[in-house]
């Protein structure tokens, strides 16, 4: 069973810091992640997902 979002890690895009729970505003948070290590790589994951989706869209055209 998945943990509650308030009990997981988040990446704060404004500060560049990993946070536990709802420390900052929702507009500044990316997540949730199971571990602090996963959250610390949030931007890499977002970039990879964006590239994947862009490639999929291009293939559909």
């Amino acid at each position: 069973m998945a943990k509650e979002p308030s009990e997981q890690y988040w990446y704060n895009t404004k500060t560049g810091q990993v946070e536990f729970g709802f420390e900052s505003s929702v507009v500044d948070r990316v997540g949730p992640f199971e571990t602090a290590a996963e959250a610390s790589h949030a931007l890499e994951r977002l970039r990879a997902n964006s590239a994947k989706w862009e490639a999929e869209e291009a293939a559909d055209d």
Side-chain angles (χ1 to χ4, degrees):
M1 187 165 131
K3 294 178 186 175
E4 290 293 319
S6 62
E7 298 175 358
Q8 291 184 314
Y9 294 91
W10 300 79
Y11 180 80
N12 184 315
T13 58
K14 191 173 184 178
T15 66
Q17 299 295 310
V18 172
E19 301 173 346
F20 184 79
F22 299 142
E23 292 182 28
S24 60
S25 171
V26 67
V27 298
D28 297 326
R29 286 194 317 254
V30 176
F33 298 93
E34 289 287 323
T35 67
E38 288 176 357
S40 71
H41 295 286
L43 294 182
E44 295 163 22
R45 186 178 219 173
L46 290 173
R47 286 185 193 108
N49 285 344
S50 292
K52 176 185 164 194
W53 296 329
E54 186 176 332
E56 288 172 356
E57 267 189 34
D60 288 342
D61 291 339

